[in-house]
Short mmCIF file of all heavy atoms in Angstrom, two decimals:
data_model
loop_
_atom_site.label_atom_id
_atom_site.label_comp_id
_atom_site.label_asym_id
_atom_site.label_seq_id
_atom_site.Cartn_x
_atom_site.Cartn_y
_atom_site.Cartn_z
N ARG A 599 -3.81 -0.99 21.80
CA ARG A 599 -4.12 -1.65 20.53
C ARG A 599 -4.55 -0.52 19.43
O ARG A 599 -5.53 0.14 19.75
CB ARG A 599 -5.14 -2.66 20.75
CG ARG A 599 -5.70 -3.35 19.50
CD ARG A 599 -6.87 -4.32 19.91
NE ARG A 599 -6.36 -5.44 20.61
CZ ARG A 599 -7.27 -6.20 21.26
NH1 ARG A 599 -8.48 -5.96 21.29
NH2 ARG A 599 -6.76 -7.29 21.86
N ARG A 600 -3.92 -0.46 18.34
CA ARG A 600 -4.36 0.36 17.26
C ARG A 600 -4.42 -0.53 16.01
O ARG A 600 -3.63 -1.45 15.86
CB ARG A 600 -3.49 1.61 17.10
CG ARG A 600 -3.63 2.56 18.23
CD ARG A 600 -3.40 4.03 17.81
NE ARG A 600 -3.63 4.91 18.93
CZ ARG A 600 -3.00 6.06 19.06
NH1 ARG A 600 -2.16 6.47 18.20
NH2 ARG A 600 -3.37 6.83 20.03
N ILE A 601 -5.17 -0.15 15.05
CA ILE A 601 -5.22 -0.74 13.80
C ILE A 601 -4.76 0.24 12.66
O ILE A 601 -5.22 1.35 12.60
CB ILE A 601 -6.71 -1.17 13.43
CG1 ILE A 601 -7.31 -2.02 14.56
CG2 ILE A 601 -6.77 -1.87 12.06
CD1 ILE A 601 -6.45 -3.34 14.70
N ASP A 602 -3.79 -0.21 11.94
CA ASP A 602 -3.38 0.52 10.69
C ASP A 602 -3.75 -0.28 9.45
O ASP A 602 -4.06 -1.58 9.58
CB ASP A 602 -1.83 0.68 10.69
CG ASP A 602 -1.28 1.29 11.91
OD1 ASP A 602 -2.04 2.02 12.52
OD2 ASP A 602 -0.08 1.05 12.29
N LEU A 603 -3.94 0.34 8.34
CA LEU A 603 -4.34 -0.29 7.08
C LEU A 603 -3.10 -0.38 6.19
O LEU A 603 -2.40 0.59 6.01
CB LEU A 603 -5.48 0.49 6.38
CG LEU A 603 -6.74 0.58 7.26
CD1 LEU A 603 -7.84 1.25 6.40
CD2 LEU A 603 -7.21 -0.77 7.85
N ALA A 604 -2.91 -1.65 5.57
CA ALA A 604 -1.56 -1.89 5.04
C ALA A 604 -1.66 -2.85 3.82
O ALA A 604 -1.22 -4.03 4.02
CB ALA A 604 -0.63 -2.51 6.08
N PRO A 605 -1.94 -2.38 2.66
CA PRO A 605 -1.76 -3.22 1.45
C PRO A 605 -0.25 -3.72 1.48
O PRO A 605 0.59 -2.93 1.82
CB PRO A 605 -2.07 -2.26 0.33
CG PRO A 605 -2.98 -1.20 0.95
CD PRO A 605 -2.54 -1.01 2.30
N CYS A 606 -0.10 -4.91 1.03
CA CYS A 606 1.18 -5.57 1.11
C CYS A 606 2.32 -4.79 0.36
O CYS A 606 3.35 -4.42 0.98
CB CYS A 606 1.13 -6.95 0.59
SG CYS A 606 2.79 -7.84 0.79
N SER A 607 1.99 -4.47 -0.90
CA SER A 607 3.06 -3.78 -1.68
C SER A 607 2.44 -3.39 -2.98
O SER A 607 1.34 -3.93 -3.41
CB SER A 607 4.32 -4.70 -1.99
OG SER A 607 3.87 -5.89 -2.68
N PRO A 608 3.04 -2.46 -3.76
CA PRO A 608 2.35 -2.11 -5.05
C PRO A 608 2.16 -3.21 -6.02
O PRO A 608 1.35 -3.10 -6.88
CB PRO A 608 3.34 -1.02 -5.57
CG PRO A 608 4.09 -0.47 -4.39
CD PRO A 608 4.12 -1.62 -3.47
N PHE A 609 3.03 -4.28 -5.95
CA PHE A 609 2.91 -5.29 -6.93
C PHE A 609 2.01 -6.50 -6.48
O PHE A 609 1.83 -7.50 -7.18
CB PHE A 609 4.26 -5.87 -7.30
CG PHE A 609 5.16 -6.32 -6.14
CD1 PHE A 609 5.00 -7.47 -5.60
CD2 PHE A 609 6.11 -5.44 -5.69
CE1 PHE A 609 5.79 -7.89 -4.53
CE2 PHE A 609 6.91 -5.80 -4.60
CZ PHE A 609 6.79 -7.06 -4.00
N ASN A 610 1.30 -6.32 -5.42
CA ASN A 610 0.45 -7.38 -4.89
C ASN A 610 -1.00 -6.90 -4.68
O ASN A 610 -1.88 -7.68 -4.20
CB ASN A 610 0.96 -7.88 -3.56
CG ASN A 610 2.08 -8.93 -3.76
OD1 ASN A 610 2.31 -9.40 -4.76
ND2 ASN A 610 2.85 -9.04 -2.62
N VAL A 611 -1.36 -5.63 -5.04
CA VAL A 611 -2.67 -5.15 -4.93
C VAL A 611 -2.97 -4.26 -6.11
O VAL A 611 -2.11 -3.82 -6.86
CB VAL A 611 -2.80 -4.25 -3.68
CG1 VAL A 611 -2.67 -5.10 -2.40
CG2 VAL A 611 -1.90 -3.06 -3.56
N THR A 612 -4.36 -4.10 -6.27
CA THR A 612 -4.75 -3.32 -7.41
C THR A 612 -4.67 -1.81 -7.14
O THR A 612 -4.68 -1.44 -5.94
CB THR A 612 -6.23 -3.66 -7.80
OG1 THR A 612 -7.10 -3.22 -6.64
CG2 THR A 612 -6.43 -5.11 -8.00
N PRO A 613 -4.57 -0.97 -8.13
CA PRO A 613 -4.55 0.51 -7.82
C PRO A 613 -5.86 0.93 -7.20
O PRO A 613 -5.86 1.88 -6.31
CB PRO A 613 -4.31 1.18 -9.18
CG PRO A 613 -4.61 0.09 -10.17
CD PRO A 613 -4.29 -1.23 -9.52
N GLU A 614 -6.97 0.26 -7.47
CA GLU A 614 -8.24 0.60 -6.88
C GLU A 614 -8.23 0.33 -5.36
O GLU A 614 -8.74 1.14 -4.60
CB GLU A 614 -9.36 -0.18 -7.49
CG GLU A 614 -9.62 0.20 -9.04
CD GLU A 614 -8.63 -0.38 -9.97
OE1 GLU A 614 -7.87 -1.33 -9.62
OE2 GLU A 614 -8.65 0.01 -11.17
N LEU A 615 -7.53 -0.77 -4.99
CA LEU A 615 -7.59 -1.14 -3.50
C LEU A 615 -6.64 -0.05 -2.80
O LEU A 615 -6.97 0.29 -1.72
CB LEU A 615 -7.03 -2.48 -3.34
CG LEU A 615 -6.95 -2.99 -1.91
CD1 LEU A 615 -8.30 -2.97 -1.28
CD2 LEU A 615 -6.34 -4.28 -1.71
N LEU A 616 -5.57 0.28 -3.47
CA LEU A 616 -4.67 1.37 -2.81
C LEU A 616 -5.47 2.58 -2.59
O LEU A 616 -5.44 3.22 -1.61
CB LEU A 616 -3.54 1.62 -3.69
CG LEU A 616 -2.36 0.59 -3.59
CD1 LEU A 616 -1.27 0.85 -4.68
CD2 LEU A 616 -1.65 0.70 -2.23
N ARG A 617 -6.20 3.07 -3.61
CA ARG A 617 -7.06 4.31 -3.45
C ARG A 617 -8.17 4.17 -2.44
O ARG A 617 -8.28 5.01 -1.63
CB ARG A 617 -7.67 4.65 -4.82
CG ARG A 617 -6.64 5.27 -5.82
CD ARG A 617 -7.36 5.91 -6.98
NE ARG A 617 -7.92 4.95 -7.92
CZ ARG A 617 -7.39 4.39 -8.96
NH1 ARG A 617 -6.15 4.94 -9.32
NH2 ARG A 617 -7.97 3.55 -9.72
N ASP A 618 -8.82 3.01 -2.45
CA ASP A 618 -9.94 2.81 -1.54
C ASP A 618 -9.37 2.73 -0.13
O ASP A 618 -10.11 3.16 0.81
CB ASP A 618 -10.79 1.63 -1.91
CG ASP A 618 -11.54 1.88 -3.22
OD1 ASP A 618 -11.66 3.00 -3.62
OD2 ASP A 618 -12.04 0.90 -3.79
N THR A 619 -8.25 2.00 0.06
CA THR A 619 -7.71 1.87 1.45
C THR A 619 -7.27 3.24 1.92
O THR A 619 -7.45 3.56 3.16
CB THR A 619 -6.50 0.97 1.44
OG1 THR A 619 -6.96 -0.40 0.89
CG2 THR A 619 -5.95 0.70 2.77
N ARG A 620 -6.65 4.04 1.06
CA ARG A 620 -6.27 5.40 1.46
C ARG A 620 -7.39 6.29 1.92
O ARG A 620 -7.41 6.90 2.99
CB ARG A 620 -5.58 6.04 0.26
CG ARG A 620 -5.21 7.54 0.52
CD ARG A 620 -5.16 8.25 -0.80
NE ARG A 620 -6.47 8.33 -1.40
CZ ARG A 620 -6.81 8.43 -2.71
NH1 ARG A 620 -5.78 8.48 -3.64
NH2 ARG A 620 -8.05 8.55 -3.12
N THR A 621 -8.50 6.13 1.21
CA THR A 621 -9.70 6.86 1.54
C THR A 621 -10.23 6.44 2.80
O THR A 621 -10.66 7.29 3.69
CB THR A 621 -10.74 6.69 0.37
OG1 THR A 621 -10.27 7.22 -0.86
CG2 THR A 621 -12.02 7.47 0.75
N LEU A 622 -10.37 5.15 2.97
CA LEU A 622 -10.97 4.65 4.31
C LEU A 622 -10.03 5.03 5.51
O LEU A 622 -10.52 5.45 6.48
CB LEU A 622 -10.96 3.11 4.21
CG LEU A 622 -11.48 2.32 5.51
CD1 LEU A 622 -12.86 2.80 5.94
CD2 LEU A 622 -11.40 0.91 5.31
N ALA A 623 -8.75 4.89 5.30
CA ALA A 623 -7.76 5.27 6.47
C ALA A 623 -7.92 6.74 6.83
O ALA A 623 -7.98 7.04 7.96
CB ALA A 623 -6.38 4.93 6.04
N ARG A 624 -8.11 7.60 5.80
CA ARG A 624 -8.13 9.02 6.14
C ARG A 624 -9.51 9.43 6.70
O ARG A 624 -9.65 10.33 7.47
CB ARG A 624 -7.77 9.84 4.93
CG ARG A 624 -6.27 9.74 4.70
CD ARG A 624 -5.63 10.32 3.49
NE ARG A 624 -4.23 10.12 3.57
CZ ARG A 624 -3.31 10.29 2.58
NH1 ARG A 624 -3.89 10.59 1.29
NH2 ARG A 624 -2.07 9.99 2.63
N GLU A 625 -10.53 8.70 6.29
CA GLU A 625 -11.87 8.88 6.91
C GLU A 625 -11.91 8.50 8.33
O GLU A 625 -12.54 9.17 9.16
CB GLU A 625 -12.87 8.14 6.07
CG GLU A 625 -13.29 8.62 4.80
CD GLU A 625 -14.26 7.74 4.05
OE1 GLU A 625 -14.50 6.61 4.49
OE2 GLU A 625 -14.80 8.18 3.01
N ARG A 626 -11.08 7.42 8.67
CA ARG A 626 -11.09 6.92 10.07
C ARG A 626 -9.94 7.41 10.85
O ARG A 626 -9.89 7.14 12.12
CB ARG A 626 -11.09 5.43 10.00
CG ARG A 626 -12.26 4.80 9.24
CD ARG A 626 -13.55 5.01 9.89
NE ARG A 626 -13.67 4.28 11.19
CZ ARG A 626 -14.18 3.04 11.29
NH1 ARG A 626 -14.73 2.46 10.29
NH2 ARG A 626 -14.28 2.50 12.51
N GLY A 627 -8.99 8.22 10.35
CA GLY A 627 -7.90 8.79 11.04
C GLY A 627 -6.88 7.72 11.50
O GLY A 627 -6.27 7.84 12.64
N VAL A 628 -6.60 6.71 10.69
CA VAL A 628 -5.73 5.69 11.09
C VAL A 628 -4.46 5.82 10.06
O VAL A 628 -4.54 6.37 9.02
CB VAL A 628 -6.31 4.31 11.02
CG1 VAL A 628 -7.42 4.25 11.99
CG2 VAL A 628 -6.72 3.86 9.69
N LEU A 629 -3.36 5.06 10.46
CA LEU A 629 -2.16 5.15 9.64
C LEU A 629 -2.20 4.23 8.42
O LEU A 629 -2.91 3.13 8.46
CB LEU A 629 -0.94 4.80 10.52
CG LEU A 629 -0.66 5.70 11.65
CD1 LEU A 629 0.60 5.23 12.38
CD2 LEU A 629 -0.47 7.17 11.24
N LEU A 630 -1.43 4.45 7.40
CA LEU A 630 -1.26 3.67 6.29
C LEU A 630 0.15 3.06 6.27
O LEU A 630 1.11 3.80 6.61
CB LEU A 630 -1.53 4.46 5.02
CG LEU A 630 -2.91 4.86 4.68
CD1 LEU A 630 -2.93 5.97 3.65
CD2 LEU A 630 -3.72 3.65 4.17
N HIS A 631 0.33 1.88 5.77
CA HIS A 631 1.57 1.24 5.87
C HIS A 631 1.76 0.27 4.62
O HIS A 631 0.77 -0.32 4.21
CB HIS A 631 1.82 0.45 7.11
CG HIS A 631 3.14 -0.28 7.29
ND1 HIS A 631 4.28 0.45 7.11
CD2 HIS A 631 3.50 -1.46 7.67
CE1 HIS A 631 5.31 -0.40 7.39
NE2 HIS A 631 4.83 -1.63 7.66
N THR A 632 2.93 0.16 4.04
CA THR A 632 3.22 -0.80 2.98
C THR A 632 4.72 -0.91 2.80
O THR A 632 5.57 -0.18 3.35
CB THR A 632 2.51 -0.38 1.61
OG1 THR A 632 2.64 -1.44 0.75
CG2 THR A 632 3.29 0.86 1.02
N HIS A 633 5.15 -1.97 2.13
CA HIS A 633 6.51 -2.12 1.67
C HIS A 633 6.76 -1.30 0.47
O HIS A 633 5.91 -1.10 -0.35
CB HIS A 633 6.81 -3.60 1.29
CG HIS A 633 6.52 -4.63 2.37
ND1 HIS A 633 5.39 -5.28 2.46
CD2 HIS A 633 7.36 -5.11 3.26
CE1 HIS A 633 5.46 -6.20 3.44
NE2 HIS A 633 6.66 -6.09 3.99
N LEU A 634 7.98 -0.76 0.37
CA LEU A 634 8.30 0.01 -0.81
C LEU A 634 9.78 0.06 -1.06
O LEU A 634 10.59 0.21 -0.18
CB LEU A 634 7.79 1.45 -0.68
CG LEU A 634 7.64 2.21 -1.95
CD1 LEU A 634 6.43 1.74 -2.75
CD2 LEU A 634 7.58 3.70 -1.80
N ALA A 635 10.13 0.05 -2.36
CA ALA A 635 11.50 0.22 -2.81
C ALA A 635 12.51 -0.59 -2.17
O ALA A 635 13.62 -0.22 -1.76
CB ALA A 635 11.86 1.73 -2.65
N GLU A 636 12.17 -1.91 -1.92
CA GLU A 636 12.96 -2.86 -1.19
C GLU A 636 14.06 -3.42 -2.10
O GLU A 636 15.21 -3.65 -1.60
CB GLU A 636 12.05 -4.00 -0.67
CG GLU A 636 12.89 -4.94 0.28
CD GLU A 636 11.95 -5.98 0.90
OE1 GLU A 636 10.66 -5.85 0.74
OE2 GLU A 636 12.44 -6.83 1.63
N THR A 637 13.84 -3.74 -3.38
CA THR A 637 14.81 -4.33 -4.17
C THR A 637 14.88 -3.70 -5.57
O THR A 637 13.85 -3.00 -6.03
CB THR A 637 14.51 -5.83 -4.34
OG1 THR A 637 13.29 -5.93 -5.20
CG2 THR A 637 14.40 -6.56 -3.06
N LEU A 638 15.94 -3.87 -6.35
CA LEU A 638 16.03 -3.47 -7.72
C LEU A 638 14.93 -4.24 -8.53
O LEU A 638 14.41 -3.63 -9.52
CB LEU A 638 17.39 -3.69 -8.27
CG LEU A 638 18.43 -2.63 -7.88
CD1 LEU A 638 19.82 -3.04 -8.36
CD2 LEU A 638 18.05 -1.26 -8.43
N GLU A 639 14.67 -5.55 -8.19
CA GLU A 639 13.65 -6.31 -8.94
C GLU A 639 12.35 -5.63 -8.88
O GLU A 639 11.50 -5.59 -9.82
CB GLU A 639 13.67 -7.77 -8.45
CG GLU A 639 14.90 -8.50 -8.82
CD GLU A 639 16.05 -8.27 -7.85
OE1 GLU A 639 15.91 -7.51 -6.85
OE2 GLU A 639 17.13 -8.80 -8.11
N GLU A 640 12.01 -5.09 -7.61
CA GLU A 640 10.71 -4.39 -7.50
C GLU A 640 10.73 -3.15 -8.38
O GLU A 640 9.66 -2.87 -9.00
CB GLU A 640 10.55 -3.97 -5.96
CG GLU A 640 9.31 -3.16 -5.81
CD GLU A 640 9.31 -2.60 -4.36
OE1 GLU A 640 9.97 -3.02 -3.44
OE2 GLU A 640 8.55 -1.52 -4.25
N GLN A 641 11.81 -2.40 -8.39
CA GLN A 641 11.88 -1.25 -9.27
C GLN A 641 11.53 -1.56 -10.72
O GLN A 641 10.81 -0.93 -11.43
CB GLN A 641 13.21 -0.58 -9.07
CG GLN A 641 13.40 0.66 -9.90
CD GLN A 641 14.75 1.35 -9.53
OE1 GLN A 641 14.89 1.87 -8.38
NE2 GLN A 641 15.60 1.33 -10.49
N THR A 642 12.24 -2.64 -11.18
CA THR A 642 12.06 -3.09 -12.57
C THR A 642 10.64 -3.56 -12.80
O THR A 642 10.02 -3.19 -13.84
CB THR A 642 13.01 -4.26 -12.89
OG1 THR A 642 14.40 -3.83 -12.72
CG2 THR A 642 12.80 -4.78 -14.28
N PHE A 643 10.09 -4.32 -11.85
CA PHE A 643 8.69 -4.73 -11.95
C PHE A 643 7.77 -3.53 -12.13
O PHE A 643 6.81 -3.55 -12.97
CB PHE A 643 8.37 -5.54 -10.75
CG PHE A 643 6.95 -6.22 -10.78
CD1 PHE A 643 6.76 -7.50 -11.22
CD2 PHE A 643 5.84 -5.54 -10.38
CE1 PHE A 643 5.52 -8.09 -11.20
CE2 PHE A 643 4.57 -6.07 -10.43
CZ PHE A 643 4.42 -7.40 -10.77
N CYS A 644 7.93 -2.54 -11.26
CA CYS A 644 6.97 -1.42 -11.27
C CYS A 644 7.17 -0.58 -12.61
O CYS A 644 6.20 -0.09 -13.20
CB CYS A 644 7.26 -0.51 -10.14
SG CYS A 644 6.73 -1.21 -8.52
N LEU A 645 8.45 -0.47 -13.07
CA LEU A 645 8.69 0.25 -14.36
C LEU A 645 7.91 -0.43 -15.48
O LEU A 645 7.34 0.21 -16.38
CB LEU A 645 10.13 0.42 -14.60
CG LEU A 645 10.85 1.43 -13.78
CD1 LEU A 645 12.36 1.25 -13.85
CD2 LEU A 645 10.42 2.82 -14.13
N GLU A 646 8.03 -1.80 -15.52
CA GLU A 646 7.46 -2.59 -16.59
C GLU A 646 5.91 -2.60 -16.53
O GLU A 646 5.19 -2.55 -17.52
CB GLU A 646 8.00 -4.03 -16.60
CG GLU A 646 9.55 -4.01 -16.97
CD GLU A 646 10.07 -5.48 -16.90
OE1 GLU A 646 9.34 -6.38 -16.37
OE2 GLU A 646 11.21 -5.65 -17.32
#
């Protein structure tokens, strides 16, 4: 059993949560995981 930290996707979390989760994961030595670049709609959403 291992625990990874995994904000759902860039369009479902705040940038502050992404940064704080990254910091926590690296302090604790665990992996980071998220969805990314799955659809063109996501790409458009992120650009806008």
Side-chain angles (χ1 to χ4, degrees):
R599 175 187 287 166
R600 288 211 178 149
I601 304 299
D602 305 337
L603 300 185
C606 181
S607 62
F609 51 83
N610 283 340
V611 296
T612 64
E614 292 78 15
L615 181 63
L616 281 169
R617 284 193 289 264
D618 290 344
T619 303
R620 175 208 66 206
T621 299
L622 176 60
R624 288 176 178 161
E625 287 175 350
R626 302 294 292 266
V628 301
L629 298 182
L630 290 161
H631 182 50
T632 193
H633 300 94
L634 199 76
E636 186 174 355
T637 67
L638 280 173
E639 290 81 4
E640 176 191 339
Q641 182 174 294
T642 300
F643 184 96
C644 288
L645 285 168
E646 292 177 351

